[in-house]
């Protein structure tokens, strides 16, 4: 009985009853894909939020609301507090996923479109795989790296094509966001192999909450707020789905698949965001999207068939 209880704590999946661990919560590709879909709406959601809130206010409120959700979940579940040696990794998650990425991408979206931002951030899977390899010492096969590099090259080349080859201040914000988020993804995926993924992001969001609260208090008097259904809906989405719930399924998927392999599913994220940008934001559709979609999806299929 003790062994079963330990397995439940370590994986977050009940071992009681036949097939419980093989259900949806045990399907790594499905869970990781759900995370990708949730994240693909983050940029449109941020653009919506910026209709009613300033960039610093939106970032701070996003973190505060997410922390309220995470805190409620932790109070309800009463999980054990992470071990001392895990807090360094949780700090990386907090800095990268709960502070750095939300702020930097929000600032970038003031000067760049959601579609352009999506293809720049499309290099995130490669960055995540590199950081994970450096952190864990894993050595994926050369075929895996070649396919991942090809996918990264497609999305980066697409981004440069859209900006006429001249990166702007928004691109610098996006590159910085790319690095810090990749570190958070890699560290969160590593921790999720022994701590349920939802707890990893919940503790990370809570750790970042004091900073986000200070940002909110400081920004509100300086940035005008224009409440609208669009702005509030966008803020609630990026707080609930992008900041917390998306990570719950994403980290669980990474724990089951492995960080480097799961991260390659994110090659589909910029293409999904481009679709949302056209449908929800009215951004112009380019035929280049079709070409990029075929190439990127081919790279995704190849990486998923290549053994690490």
């Amino acid at each position: 009985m003790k062994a079963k209880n330990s397995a439940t704590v370590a994986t977050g999946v009940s071992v009681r009853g036949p097939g419980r661990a093989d259900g949806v919560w045990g399907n790594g590709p499905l869970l990781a894909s759900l995370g990708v879909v949730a994240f693909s709406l983050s940029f449109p959601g941020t653009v919506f939020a910026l209709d009613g809130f300033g960039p610093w206010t939106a970032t701070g409120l996003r973190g505060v609301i997410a922390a309220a959700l995470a805190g409620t979940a932790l109070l309800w579940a009463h999980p054990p507090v992470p071990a001392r040696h895990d807090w360094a990794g949780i700090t990386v998650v907090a800095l990268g996923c709960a502070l750095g990425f939300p702020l930097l991408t929000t600032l970038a979206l003031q000067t760049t479109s959601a579609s352009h931002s999506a293809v720049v951030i499309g290099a995130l899977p490669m960055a995540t795989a590199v950081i994970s390899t450096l952190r864990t010492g894993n050595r994926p096969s050369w075929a895996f790296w070649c396919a991942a590099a090809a996918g990264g090259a497609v999305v980066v080349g697409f981004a440069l094509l859209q900006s006429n080859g001249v990166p702007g201040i928004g691109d610098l914000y996006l590159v910085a966001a790319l690095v810090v988020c990749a570190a958070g993804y890699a560290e969160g995926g590593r921790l999720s192999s022994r701590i349920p993924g939802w707890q990893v992001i919940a503790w990370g969001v809570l750790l970042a909450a004091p900073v986000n609260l200070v940002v909110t208090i400081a920004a509100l008097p300086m940035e005008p707020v224009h409440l609208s259904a669009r702005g509030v809906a966008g803020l609630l989405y990026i707080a609930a789905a992008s900041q917390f719930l998306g990570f719950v399924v994403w980290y669980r998927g990474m724990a089951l698949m492995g960080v480097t392999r799961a991260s390659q599913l994110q090659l589909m994220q910029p293409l999904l965001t481009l679709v949302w940008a056209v449908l929800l934001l009215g951004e112009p559709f380019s035929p280049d999207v079709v070409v990029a979609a075929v190439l990127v999806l081919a790279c995704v299929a190849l990486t998923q068939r290549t053994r690490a």
Side-chain angles (χ1 to χ4, degrees):
M1 180 63 69
K2 290 183 178 179
K4 288 184 178 181
N5 290 339
S6 298
T8 300
V9 171
T11 63
V13 179
S14 173
V15 296
R16 296 178 181 177
R20 290 291 295 276
D22 295 328
V24 172
W25 197 239
N27 190 325
L30 174 60
L31 293 172
S33 296
L34 289 175
V36 169
V37 173
F39 295 148
S40 72
L41 282 159
S42 296
F43 286 167
T46 301
V47 173
F48 276 24
L50 288 173
D51 277 357
F53 305 89
W56 290 88
T57 303
T59 301
L61 285 174
R62 168 182 180 166
V64 171
I65 296 171
L69 294 174
T72 301
L74 289 171
L75 286 173
W76 177 78
H78 293 293
V81 176
R84 180 179 300 179
H85 61 268
D86 288 327
W87 280 102
I90 292 173
T91 300
V92 174
V93 172
L95 292 174
C97 301
L99 291 172
F101 186 81
L103 176 60
L104 291 167
T105 53
T106 301
L107 293 174
L109 285 167
Q110 290 194 296
T111 59
T112 62
S113 66
S115 56
H116 179 82
S117 299
V119 290
V120 174
I121 294 297
L124 181 59
M126 190 66 182
T128 302
V130 170
I131 291 177
S132 177
T133 296
L134 295 175
R135 180 69 178 85
T136 64
N138 292 332
R139 293 293 183 268
S141 67
W142 278 106
F144 178 90
W145 282 114
C146 289
V154 170
V155 293
V156 171
F158 185 75
L160 292 175
L161 178 64
Q162 292 291 300
S163 61
N164 296 318
V166 181
I169 184 64
D171 290 310
L172 298 181
Y173 282 134
L174 291 170
V175 169
L178 176 72
V179 174
V180 299
C181 188
Y185 277 4
E187 202 63 19
R190 185 185 67 83
L191 290 172
S192 295
S193 64
R194 60 178 181 272
I195 303 174
W198 76 267
Q199 294 178 27
V200 173
I201 188 59
W203 290 114
V205 167
L206 278 183
L207 189 61
V211 176
N212 281 317
L213 182 59
V214 170
V215 169
T216 301
I217 294 173
L220 274 173
M222 302 177 63
E223 295 179 338
V225 174
H226 305 287
L227 291 180
S228 65
R230 177 183 167 108
V232 172
L235 178 63
L236 291 178
Y237 182 85
I238 59 178
S242 302
Q243 194 75 46
F244 182 52
L245 297 178
F247 279 102
V248 171
V249 292
W250 172 242
Y251 278 157
R252 174 62 182 166
M254 281 202 295
L256 293 170
M257 295 179 65
V259 175
T260 52
R261 289 175 67 85
S263 67
Q264 302 314 305
L265 285 174
Q266 279 204 308
L267 287 171
M268 295 185 294
Q269 184 174 321
L271 304 177
L272 289 173
T273 300
L274 288 170
V275 173
W276 305 136
V278 172
L279 296 178
L280 300 177
L281 304 177
E283 294 186 4
F285 176 82
S286 171
D288 296 338
V289 174
V290 178
V291 176
V294 173
L295 294 176
V296 170
L297 289 176
C299 292
V300 171
L302 183 57
T303 55
Q304 293 307 300
R305 286 168 172 76
T306 304
R307 289 186 177 184

